[in-house]
Amino acid sequence: MIVPVKKVKLAVLNDYEETLLENLQRYGVLMLIPLAERGGELPEGELLARTEKSLRLIKEYESKVKKDDDEYVVAYEEFMRVDESRKELLVKIEQCGAEIEELRAAIKAAEEKYEFYRPWRLLPVKPGRLGRNRYSVSRIGFINPYDVKNFGAALEAVDAGLLMLGRAHEGQAVAVVCYYEDDAEVQNVLKSFEFQEVSLPDRDMTPAETLAGLDQDMERFKEELRAAEARLREFTESGRELELLSDQLKTRIEVRQAPVMTMPRAAYLEGWVREDRVEELKKAVAEVTDIYDLEITEPEADEQPPTVLQNGKFVAPFETITEMYSLPNPDETDPNPALSFWYLIIFGMMMGDAGYGFVMSLATFLFLKIKKPKGNSARLLKIFFYAGFATMLWGAAYGSYFGFTVKPNLIEPMTDPLKMLIVSLAIGGLHIITGLLIKAYDDIRHKRYFDALFDQFSWIMILVGIGMLFVPATNTIGMALAITGAAIILLTGGRKSKSVLGKVVGGLGGLYNITGYLSDILSYSRILALSLSSAVIGWVMNLLAGMFAGSVFGYILAAIIFVIGHVFNIVMGILSAYVHDLRLHFIEFFNRFYQGGGYAFEPLSLKLQYIDKVNIRNPQGGINHE
C-alpha cells in the first residue's frame, strides 16, 4: 500500500542545527526538501575517496583468506564514535599499497629492460667498445630472420665478419665487424637488407652481465613484493574497520550537505514525513532542543509528495518490477499486490515445467542463503524463488517434468495448442479486467462515481460478456452484458463534450476502443508460444539423450546431453518469461489504470553500504537502520 505523507516546516536556533540533523538522521523519518545547496569541498570527501581506494586494494586479497559472512551489526554509539585508530590503519594500508605499486612498477621496468637485452646475451664485448675505432667498425642490430643466409654471404663477399646472436620480435639479432676501409661497402649491404642498428645504453658491462644484474634485481623486487603483500594480507582482517569508517564518512557527508536554509540566528528546513512517523519526528526534535517551531500540514494541491510503499514480505520484492517502470503517484492505488499475483501466474504458465520450477526455487534459495545479496538483487531473486513454485504448479497442470509428460494432467500445450490458446486469452482478459477494477476503485475513492461506472465497469461488462459468448450455457447472458456495456459507452463516452456532435463522436470513439482491448488480449497468445517453446526444447533434449542410451558410455553421454540441454532450456525460459511477463504488465496491464511518475521517499538516514545493521539501543529511542 501507499503510506500518506505530511509536509514539515521546522526552524531551530543555529546552535542546534548540526545536532538536530544528526538526531533526525538517527531516526531516519524526515526527507528534506532542497531549499539551499551547500557549496565547497568537504574534507570527509577526500578521506572517503582514500578509504574506498584502500578497501578495493585489500579486497584483492580477500579471496586468499577466509571471509567473514556473518551479518555486520554495530551499535549506534560505536557507529558514531570517531576512532583515530581507523585513520591510522588507513595510512598504513595506503603506505603498503604505495610500496606494492612501486615494486610492481620496478618489476615491470626490469622485465622490459631484460626483454630489451635478452637478444644480445651472447655479445662478448661491452657496448662501449662497439662503433668506430682506428682499424675497424662494429655494429649490432636486427635483420629479417629469413635473410640470414643471404646476409651472411653478402658480408663475406666484402670481407666483413658476422656473429649470430639471439632472436626477438624485431628479428634476428646480429653483430657485424669490418675493416675501416671496407665500411662503405658494408653499409651498402646493410642498407640492402634493411639492417636496423641498435645502441645499448649500459656501456660498461656486457649484456650477459647486465642480464645477470637484472635477474638479481627482479628477484629482490619480487621478494620485497611478497613481503609487502603479506603485510597487506594481514590488513584484510581489519577490513571491517575501514568499512565502518567508509559508512561513517558517507553518513557525515550527508549531514554536512543537508539542504538547510541558514539565517543569521536560525536554521530553517522543510521536508516530508510519513503519516505514521509524525510522533517520532516530534520526539527527535524535542530531544535536541525545546526552542523550535514545528509545523506539520497536508501537502498543498500543487505539490507532489514522495511515494512511500509499504507491503508485506511476499509483495515487497515485486516493488522492484514497478520501479523499473515508474513509482506510483502517491494519489493512486499501489499496483504491487495485484502485480505480484498476476506476475507469478503468467510466469508459471510460460515456463510450465514442474522440474524446472523446482530447480529455480532451489537454486535461488541456496544463493540467497549462501551469498546473502542485498537491495534489488535480493528482491529479484526472491521473485524467481516464488516464480519457481508457480512454475511447479503449472508444470503439474501440464503434466510436464523435465520435458517428460506424466498423466493425469489438465492441459498439454504440445498436443492441444488450441485449448492452451483459449486459456491464455482468458487469462489475458482477466488480467486486463483486474486493471479496470483497480482503476474503478481509484475513481470511487476519489468520488468519480460516473467515471467508474461509465468508463470502467462498462468495459468490464463488454469483456465478460464476450467471454461468456464462447460458453453455450451463458451465451445469452453474455450477449446482454456486452450490448449493455456497449450502449453505456455509446451514450456516455462523449459526456464531457459540450456540443451534441462532440457527444456523438465521443461515444463512437469510445466504442472504437474495443479494437485496442481485443489486440491487447491477443498479446497474451505469447503465453502459448513460450509454453510451447519450453516444452518442445525439453522434449527434443530428452529425445537426443535417449538416442545415445544403450551402453555405459552412451548413458554417460546421454546424461551430459540431458543436463546441459535442460540447463540451457531453464536459463532461456527464465529470460524469456521474465521479459515477456514484464511486457504484458507494462503495456497491457498498467495501460488500463496506472499513472506512475512518483519519486521515492529517501529520508535523512545513516548511509550503510557495508554495515548490515545499526542498532539503536539507547533510551532516547530511534529506529534500527538496515
Side-chain angles (χ1 to χ4, degrees), residues 484-502:
T484 302
I488 292 174
I489 293 172
L490 189 61
L491 295 174
T492 64
R495 66 185 181 278
K496 295 181 181 179
S497 178
K498 295 182 179 180
S499 65
V500 176
L501 180 61

Side-chain angles (χ1 to χ4, degrees), residues 320-387:
T320 188
I321 293 178
T322 305
E323 290 168 5
M324 291 180 195
Y325 186 83
S326 176
L327 273 173
N329 187 294
D331 202 34
E332 64 181 326
T333 300
D334 181 9
N336 289 295
L339 181 144
S340 62
F341 171 78
W342 281 111
Y343 191 88
L344 295 181
I345 292 293
I346 295 173
F347 192 103
M349 291 182 71
M350 289 177 173
M351 285 290 289
D353 187 284
Y356 292 174
F358 175 77
V359 172
M360 282 177 58
S361 293
L362 179 62
T364 50
F365 174 78
L366 293 176
F367 193 90
L368 286 167
K369 288 296 181 183
I370 296 172
K371 292 296 184 179
K372 296 181 175 62
K374 299 179 181 179
N376 285 336
S377 298
R379 294 200 292 176
L380 192 59
L381 285 169
K382 288 178 182 177
I383 292 174
F384 288 138
F385 173 73
Y386 298 139

Side-chain angles (χ1 to χ4, degrees), residues 144-198:
N144 192 318
Y146 299 105
D147 294 335
V148 169
K149 186 175 181 180
N150 295 332
F151 184 67
L155 288 177
E156 186 178 355
V158 293
D159 295 328
L162 173 65
L163 177 63
M164 303 295 295
L165 302 173
R167 277 199 181 187
H169 66 274
E170 294 92 342
Q172 174 66 51
V174 297
V176 178
V177 182
C178 67
Y179 289 110
Y180 190 85
E181 56 269 19
D182 297 329
D183 186 50
E185 292 182 88
V186 170
Q187 286 193 50
N188 289 332
V189 172
L190 297 179
K191 186 176 181 180
S192 66
F193 283 90
E194 297 181 351
F195 177 80
Q196 303 174 37
E197 189 168 356
V198 174

Side-chain angles (χ1 to χ4, degrees), residues 260-275:
V260 178
M261 183 180 293
T262 303
M263 294 174 283
R265 298 185 60 185
Y268 174 76
L269 58 87
E270 293 183 1
W272 304 102
V273 62
R274 292 172 49 150
E275 190 176 60

